[in-house]
Each structure stands twice: as C-alpha cells, then as structure tokens.
C-alpha cells in the first residue's frame, strides 16, 4: 500500500470537496483537510470525513457473485461472472432485439465511466435503452436552462461569487444538510451585507439562517415565482433596457405573469402578500442578485416550467449574464453534471450533443469509428425505462444506482426488476438492487481509481488513485472492456482512464460541453478547469475570456462565468418562456388529505447504500421518520416516536413520528434513504414532467394512520 498523501475529492455530493488521503500501516485510510481547494477550503461534512470507512473489506464487496440453482448469490470467478453477463445480455439481444437490453447508470460515475457506458450501450449492445439516475435529480433545471440560455451548466458562475452578491433566493434547498460545506458562502453573503431568502415548506436548518423564510405549500413554487414577477412588473422594477437588448419573448411571458396577481398567489401558495412584496424589494434593490434552485421546485411534474418561471424573474430584472448575478441549479450527485454531459442520458451524446442531431451523430460516430446510421436513436427516460423492465426490456446492466430505494413508486419498480430475465449489477456494496441480481460485480471505488468528475460549478476535477484496490476487484472500465470483447467488439474500450479521457476530449470538441482543451495535466496544475474549454479559440456565446493573441491553442483558460457577453442561443439573446401555474398531478382529497414531501438528512446520502454501512453515520441517523406538525399529530393521536403509517395510492410506509412546528400543518416530510417498511419512495408519484421526464418526488397526496400495538 502506498504511504504518500494523495490530494483528491470526496465521493459524495456535487461540491466534490477537496480532501487528502493517507494510507495507514494497519490498512485503513486517513481522511484529512485539503485547504487549497476553493469549494470547501478544507471543511468536510460527516459523510466526507467518514468516506474511507466504505473501503474496508468487511463493508464492501470483495468477490463476484452469481445466483446458483437454489437462488442464492454465491462467490464466483471473474471469468464465470463475465461469461454469465455476456451470455445473458447476448441471449436477450438475439431473441428479442437490441432494445430488449437496457442499461442504467448513475450520477456518481466518473466522466470516463459515464462516457464508456454510453458508448458500450450504443456500439456494443446497439440499444437505445439507456438512462441514469441523474434524470431524477437535475433534468428539469437542465431543460429550463437550455430553453432560456441555450446551455445547461448547473452554476454559470463559481460558488465564490455568491458572498459578493446583493441577494440570493434559495428555492427548495436544505444545503445545510445536503452539502454543509457550502453553507459558509451564504453565511459570508450575510456578513457582507447581502440578503438570503429561503423558500421551503419546512423551516430547515438552512431556513433558520435566512433573513426571510417563505413556506409555500409543496408544489406551488411555479405560482410563487409568477406572483413575484407580477409584482416586479406592477411596481415598475423591470430592467427595460436589459430586456430590450439581451432577451426575446418578453411580451408573452409578461402577459402570463400578469394573470397571477398577489392575492391569487397567496391563496395558492399560503405565502402572504406582504411577504411577496418584501421578497421583491429585497431581490430588486441591490445591484446584483441570484436565484438558486434545487430539488424542491425541480422534482415536480411541472418542474421545467417552474424553473423557467424563476429564470424569467432573473431575466426581467436584468440579473442573468451579469457579474455576481444570475440563475443557477445546485446539482446534487457527485458527477450529476458530467454524467449528463457525456452520453449515459437517453437522448444525448458526449459533449452534451443531441442524439437526434445528424451532425452530432456524425461527429461522435467518427470518433468511435462506426457508421452514424448504426447508432440507435433516443430511448426511454429513467422511470419509463424502469417501468418497462420485464416486458419490453428483458435484461438490464446496472451500474452505480439503487432504484429499489431511490425510484418513485419503488415497490412497483422492485416488482419490475424482479421480473427481468437477467440482471447484472456493478457496485461497491451489496445494495438492495444488487441483492436481486443474477450477477453482481465488485468494482473499484473513488480512492482506488483515477478519473474526472464535474462539480456543480462546471469545474472539471481529477480524482486521483490513493490506494491499491483489494485483489480481485476490477474497475468499471475493465468490466466494460471485458464484456465488449466477449460480445464481439475487441477494440475501442480502453481500461486506462486517461486514455478514455483523451477520447472524450475529441468526442466533446465543438459540443456545448466542450472539454477538448482540458487535460489531466491541467487539472492537476490548475486545481480544476471550467468548461467549456475548447482546444482553440473561444466558444461562441458563452466564454468569459479568450486566449490573448499569440497564445497556444491549448491555453484557453476555461470559462468560470458564462453569458457575460451573450447567451448560447443563435442570436445571443436569452429566451423568456411563458408559463402558467397548474396543480400538482395528485392534489389532496377527502381520502388522501395531506401532502407528502421527501428529502435528505445530513448523515445519509441518496439511497444510503454506502452511508448506511458507516457506524458513525448510522448513529446520527439510524432510520426513517415522519415529520409532522403538532396539530396534525394531535388529530392523529400520535406522540413523539410513535409509529405512524403514511399511505398513498401506491403503497404504505411506517416510521416513527417526529413532531415539530418547523413544517406546515398540511404537510408531512420523510427522508428517502432507507429500504423496508420505512421506504419513502414506496409512496411517491411517478407522474412525469412532459419535457424533462422528471418524476414528481416532492408532492403527492397521502393519509396518516396511527399504528396501534
């Protein structure tokens, strides 16, 4: 085992906090502060501090597993496991066609692995049926950003700009628990005299830090944004010169907003008219301001329109494409940004190219050395893909995802997974989904491999291998190489991550997410590089700065701040998109009178497959709970800690009551990290946004039942 200190990045959220790893003589790995990385400046949350615990052999998978004739997963050799997978996928393809084989990826995969997985699906398997769990996280914000700006990058500016702004509206984010090291940017904002407005149905730890907290009814963020824009117009706060010179489509958006007068919005949202007026004042008076959204407004069946309404507010007030201002999305998963840029999303090719664009197909096919006509077209989105398992899709290769816990209507999705002819899973632990597989492959983790990720700022980073993986563990790149060879494609799937990245650079060149000017060397020397970073010249419409005359083409500095000169649209103007309020897909009624919203807690991450195996984190957050208001608890006859059943049209979950005034009386909250009877996603609604195909995790109708001994 190496004994040197290796600077790298955390395996969890999209902050990708810098950390140092040092192997110890006893085989453990020490995590320590790395103060040179500007995103966290050494600060780590509990998940980051304990991240090395999952490297232990008693926690992670150490051997391939195959299901024997008795139905039990038993250890097997790599050759046997890989042969079974290639036979299972190949048999399905031969008997039912390539689209009967599905591929499901994850937002935690490195750029190299996401890129290779997309290439494997389209070149080796020939299937269109590939998507990833990032569809559940950022897709509505991405769709809205592309409509308005012509480009999607989570934040169009670095996090370091936030404390210098005059006001930030934070919509549907509890970053004090989901990404704690980022809270200091908002603390510094207030210390500098700026204002923080938090919009959340719960008074979270983040909301407690705010100058103003608005608690709208879940699913009404669209009406709220439209009501604010109405007031901006009515109070004469529109930046008319900016709208005239840098935007298009204002009149239709203006007319839509004017139909949402303050008293109407108050009735829909529960946010009072004085609070609406105060929000507009605080947002409009400073020279600069930002709106940042997270899963709250995005995970709705109208999430794209909701984010679009917040973007319209920024455009009308001249806040986008100006210093220290703009709209941004707080990407959630570790590589949620890069994961959607390089080909594991159903409708995209590397470089954020569209799969149905002939020029994009020709470019990528040229890099891959295949006929453009051989590439399949767009496939199903994530939930639609999972819903088709066992019927149209008969076999599935799944990497770095746990949909048995994380998918909406999870009991149904578990049934669909169980109905597959064949399931292969690559993971570092035996997740609830892996436990259902025919073959499970143990793969390397973040500290055992090198690869790039792209954080929520659009900053491409290099995670460096710090330790040697245990004997018998292989990387996902090695797995895909071996499967490609067994399925008849011997070339084009290298196992060296830098070699893959060099190909990714070529494939992304000229695309929206252009990485062609980025190298591993630059990532080390510059502590990350912001895309777009073309190999030569300036990316039209988005670059903050271009190389000076005489510089080598490879010297493009990257683009930390987008849109300062023009937007990434054909005419350089941002687009207003007219939107109007509509109800959530499932409003409360007499049978299901309460709203359920879901989210995370600080000590667990996503489906909990890894964090639930860390003793310190389990001690802090041992299991699910139902957060409810005292008035609701009194009507139910429930005391603190009593088991409460939450019932929706899709199923029933039971967890202890947590009674608090920090939530609306018409709403209950459940965290979604746990399987079993407390699985929150048993209840959630898979109603999809028509544009992004994002499920409506954040609002569904439920009823509560007391659970008697």
């Amino acid at each position: 085992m190496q004994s040197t200190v290796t600077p790298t990045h955390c395996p969890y959220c999209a902050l990708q906090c810098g950390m140092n790893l040092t192997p110890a003589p006893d085989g453990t790995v020490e995590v320590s502060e790395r103060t040179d990385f500007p995103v966290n400046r050494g600060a780590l949350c509990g998940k980051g501090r304990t991240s090395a615990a999952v490297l232990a052999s008693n926690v992670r998978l150490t051997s391939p597993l195959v299901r024997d004739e008795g139905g039990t997963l038993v250890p097997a050799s790599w050759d046997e496991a890989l042969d079974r997978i290639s036979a299972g996928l190949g048999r399905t393809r031969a008997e039912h066609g390539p689209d009967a084989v599905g591929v499901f990826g994850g937002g935690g995969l490195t750029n190299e692995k996401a890129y290779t997985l997309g290439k494997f699906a389209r070149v080796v398997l020939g299937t269109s049926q590939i998507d990833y769990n990032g569809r559940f996280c950022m897709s509505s914000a991405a769709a809205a950003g592309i409509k308005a700006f012509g480009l999607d990058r989570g934040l169009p500016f670095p996090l370091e700009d936030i404390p210098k702004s005059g006001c930030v509206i934070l919509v549907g984010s509890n970053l004090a628990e989901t990404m704690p090291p980022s809270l200091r940017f908002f603390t510094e904002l207030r210390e500098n005299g700026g204002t923080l407005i938090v919009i959340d149905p719960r008074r979270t730890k983040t909301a407690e830090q705010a100058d103003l907290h608005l608690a709208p009814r879940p699913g009404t963020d669209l009406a709220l944004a439209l009501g604010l824009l109405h007031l901006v117009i009515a109070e004469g706060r529109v930046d008319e010169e900016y709208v005239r010179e840098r935007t298009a489509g204002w009149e239709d958006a203006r007319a839509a907003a004017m139909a949402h007068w303050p008293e109407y919005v108050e009735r829909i949202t529960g946010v009072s008219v004085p609070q609406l007026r105060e929000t507009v004042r605080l947002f409009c008076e400073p020279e600069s301001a930002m709106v940042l959204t997270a899963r709250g407004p995005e995970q709705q069946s109208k999430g794209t329109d909701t984010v679009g309404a917040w973007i319209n507010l920024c455009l009308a007030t001249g806040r986008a494409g100006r210093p220290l201002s703009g709209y941004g999305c707080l990407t959630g998963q570790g590589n949620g940004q890069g994961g959607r840029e390089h080909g594991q999303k159903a409708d995209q090719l590397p470089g954020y190219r569209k799969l149905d664009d002939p020029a994009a197909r020709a470019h990528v096919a040229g890099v891959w050395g295949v006929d453009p006509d051989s590439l399949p077209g767009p496939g199903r989105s994530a939930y639609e893909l999972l819903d088709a398992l066992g019927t149209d899709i008969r076999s599935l290769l799944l990497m770095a995802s746990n949909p048995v816990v994380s998918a909406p209507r999870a009991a149904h999705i578990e049934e669909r997974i169980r109905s597959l002819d064949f399931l292969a899973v690559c993971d570092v632990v035996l997740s609830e989904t892996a436990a259902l597989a025919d073959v499970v492959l143990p793969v390397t983790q973040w500290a055992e491999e090198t690869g790039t990720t792209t954080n929520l700022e659009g900053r491409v980073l290099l995670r460096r291998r710090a330790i040697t993986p245990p004997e018998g563990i292989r990387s996902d790149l090695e797995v895909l190489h071996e499967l490609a060879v067994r399925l008849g494609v011997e070339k084009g799937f290298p196992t060296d991550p830098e070699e893959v990245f060099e190909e990714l650079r070529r494939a992304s060149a000229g695309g929206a997410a252009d990485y062609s000017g980025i190298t591993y060397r630059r990532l080390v020397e510059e502590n990350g590089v912001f895309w777009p970073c073309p190999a030569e010249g300036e990316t039209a419409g988005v670059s903050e700065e271009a190389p000076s005359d005489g510089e080598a083409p490879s010297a493009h500095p990257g683009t930390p701040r987008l849109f300062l000169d023009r937007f990434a649209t054909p005419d350089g103007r941002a687009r207003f998109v007219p939107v109007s309020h509509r109800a959530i897909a499932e409003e409360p009624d007499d049978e299901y009178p309460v709203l359920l919203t879901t989210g995370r807690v600080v000590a667990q991450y996503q489906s909990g497959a890894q964090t639930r195996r860390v003793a310190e984190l389990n001690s802090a957050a041992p299991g699910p709970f139902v957060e409810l208001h005292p008035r609701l608890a009194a009507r139910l006859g429930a005391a603190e800690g009593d088991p409460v059943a939450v019932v929706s049209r899709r199923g029933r979950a039971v967890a202890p009551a947590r009674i608090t005034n920090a939530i609306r009386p018409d709403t209950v909250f459940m965290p979604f990290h746990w399987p079993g009877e407390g699985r929150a996603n048993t209840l959630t609604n898979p109603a999809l946004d028509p544009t992004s195909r994002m499920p409506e995790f954040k609002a569904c109708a439920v009823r509560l039942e007391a659970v008697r001994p």
Side-chain angles (χ1 to χ4, degrees), residues 585-605:
E586 186 180 71
E587 288 282 354
D589 55 23
D590 290 343
E591 188 177 1
Y592 299 95
V594 177
L595 280 167
L596 168 71
T597 192
T598 63
R600 287 171 47 190
V601 297
V602 67
Q604 301 289 354
Y605 180 71

Side-chain angles (χ1 to χ4, degrees), residues 86-98:
S86 60
L89 301 181
R91 183 170 54 251
T92 295
R93 188 176 59 173
E95 294 177 0
H96 302 285

Side-chain angles (χ1 to χ4, degrees), residues 2-9 19-23 30 32 34 447 463-467:
Q2 303 169 25
S3 59
T4 55
V5 176
T6 302
T8 188
H9 296 273
M19 58 170 57
N20 288 319
L21 298 183
T22 307
E30 177 187 346
S32 58
R34 179 184 162 197
R463 284 190 195 157
R464 282 170 273 195
R465 174 168 160 160
I467 60 172

Side-chain angles (χ1 to χ4, degrees), residues 93-176:
R93 188 176 59 173
E95 294 177 0
H96 302 285
D99 275 358
V101 181
V103 177
F104 199 83
L109 293 175
T110 62
N111 290 317
E112 292 80 359
K113 292 191 282 190
Y115 171 85
T116 304
L117 186 62
K119 181 180 179 182
F120 177 85
R122 294 173 175 112
V123 172
V124 178
L125 297 176
T127 183
S128 66
Q129 301 303 304
I130 175 172
D131 212 83
Y132 83 128
N133 62 18
R135 177 78 68 170
F136 297 159
C137 295
M138 290 78 60
S139 55
S140 290
I146 290 170
K147 283 185 177 184
F149 307 131
L151 182 72
D152 157 50
R153 194 180 84 185
L155 294 181
F157 40 72
L159 284 163
E160 65 188 27
D161 283 3
I162 290 172
K164 304 169 189 174
S165 188
C167 177
V168 174
I169 300 179
L170 189 61
V171 190
S173 172
N174 183 16
L175 52 82

Side-chain angles (χ1 to χ4, degrees), residues 227 255 461 487 490 549 556 575 581 682:
L461 306 164
L487 291 166
E490 296 189 359
D549 292 341
H556 189 285
R575 301 287 191 266
H581 168 71
T682 297

Side-chain angles (χ1 to χ4, degrees), residues 23 55 130 133 161 176 261 264 307 372 379 455 632 635 691:
L55 298 167
I130 175 172
N133 62 18
D161 283 3
W261 60 95
Y264 172 57
V307 173
N455 80 346
L632 198 54
R635 289 202 297 271
T691 302

Side-chain angles (χ1 to χ4, degrees), residues 371 388 648:
D371 184 342
S648 78

